[in-house]
Amino acid sequence: MLKIKNVSKTFNLGTINEKKALKNINLTLEDGDFVTIIGGNGAGKSTLMNMVAGVYPIDCGHIYLDDDDISLDPEYKRASRIGHVFQDPMMGTAADMSIQENLAMAARRGQRRGLSWGVKKSELDDYKKELKKLGLGLETRMTSKVGLLSGGQRQAITLLMATLTKPKVLLLDEHTAALDPATSSKVLMLTNKIVDEMHLTTMMVTHNMQDAIDVGNRLIMMYDGQIIYDVKGEEKKKLTVNDLLKKFEEASGSEFVNDRMLLG
Ligand SMILES: Nc1ncnc2c1ncn2[C@@H]1O[C@H](COP(=O)(O)OP(=O)(O)OP(=O)(O)O)[C@@H](O)[C@H]1O
């Protein structure tokens, strides 16, 4: 269970650039919940993910993972239990390292590094099996440098790395946004498959309204640092993009503005 309790975050406090990015956020995800997050420009979506990952410290409130209060834990300490995939396929992988080295690095996340950095044969077999599941033929390119792969292949590897040691929470921050539409839907399909098979508790920011409706069991909409709409189950399944736009206008009194938002 992930519990976000009374969490706020203000950037540049006391300056003319002061920005209240999150205002008293309360959100509880049960194990296996898959929540999609939408909202206009600057609504606080990425900040919310970054607070959970520990990229920045929170100003007040608490974040609990199961019964542990992780509010003060630094990002590196949370990383063994929280997988984080970003929009930029270049961010999650090391370009100069091979696919198998990247996977080995991910498998050792949160562990003490010993002297033996070698990858065992049994590990390689495991990686090959996992790569095969992606259906991209990458299992035949285990020693290729990741920098030689396409954006979609790289993002698929990043996804695998983020989930290799089953995380308690998976954070996906517009992880398909930089990909072409066909590759984006392939990576989204893979995401669904991995989340489903591993029963992962997942938060996914997306600028694609239809994806937000189709994927996951819960949807939240953010505006001006707050959660203004939270829907799950059957009610979510019945939503249309028009419903979401209407909800946004009702709750915020303004038009939905996100320069990257896809309505269909
Ligand atoms: N590191 C930072 N320093 C200063 N201000 C920041 C920082 N990160 C975010 N902000 C500000 O906080 C607000 C929320 O930003 P955030 O990136 O969370 O929005 P978002 O909902 O992800 O928006 P978008 O869809 O445009 O990416 C914005 O006004 C943004 O400029």
Side-chain angles (χ1 to χ4, degrees), residues 11-12 19 21 39-47 56 174 258 260:
F11 289 108
N12 304 316
K19 176 72 203 173
N41 287 130
K45 305 179 294 295
S46 293
T47 305
Y56 311 112
E174 300 208 41
N258 187 313
R260 301 190 312 283

Side-chain angles (χ1 to χ4, degrees), residues 70-168:
I70 60 165
S71 317
L72 298 177
D73 289 353
E75 187 179 11
Y76 76 88
K77 214 169 155 197
R78 297 185 204 186
S80 59
R81 295 199 286 167
I82 298 179
H84 201 172
V85 184
F86 299 89
Q87 179 175 338
D88 185 351
M90 306 301 146
M91 276 181 75
T93 43
D96 283 338
M97 288 165 76
S98 67
I99 293 180
Q100 65 191 38
E101 285 166 342
N102 270 278
L103 290 171
M105 201 166 57
R108 286 158 178 71
R109 197 173 22 231
Q111 290 175 12
R112 274 177 181 279
R113 302 259 151 79
L115 288 175
S116 62
W117 169 244
V119 184
K120 289 196 214 103
K121 164 89 174 59
S122 59
E123 278 182 78
L124 290 179
D125 291 342
D126 287 346
Y127 301 158
K128 201 171 260 183
K129 216 165 66 199
E130 293 303 321
L131 285 164
K132 203 162 180 185
K133 285 193 207 157
L134 297 179
L136 299 171
L138 295 172
E139 67 278 10
T140 62
R141 301 177 61 186
M142 302 252 298
T143 53
S144 294
K145 290 233 186 328
V146 164
L148 300 173
L149 304 180
S150 70
Q153 289 170 328
R154 214 162 152 170
Q155 206 61 330
I157 300 272
T158 309
L159 197 59
L160 194 57
M161 288 170 65
T163 53
L164 204 57
T165 53
K166 185 179 175 180
K168 284 298 297 177

Side-chain angles (χ1 to χ4, degrees), residues 9-12 17-22 37-50 56 87 173-174 205-207 222 225 257-261:
K9 179 71 185 174
T10 300
F11 289 108
N12 304 316
N17 293 321
E18 179 170 315
K19 176 72 203 173
K20 285 191 170 64
L22 293 180
I37 305 173
I38 56 169
N41 287 130
K45 305 179 294 295
S46 293
T47 305
L48 179 61
M49 306 284 265
N50 288 336
Y56 311 112
Q87 179 175 338
D173 195 350
E174 300 208 41
V205 174
T206 177
H207 64 238
M222 294 188 69
V257 182
N258 187 313
D259 42 23
R260 301 190 312 283
M261 191 54 71

Side-chain angles (χ1 to χ4, degrees), residues 1-2 29-34 66 168 199-201:
M1 187 189 66
L2 172 73
L29 300 191
E30 299 301 334
D31 286 343
D33 266 353
F34 185 170
D66 294 334
K168 284 298 297 177
H199 196 62
L200 296 175
T201 308

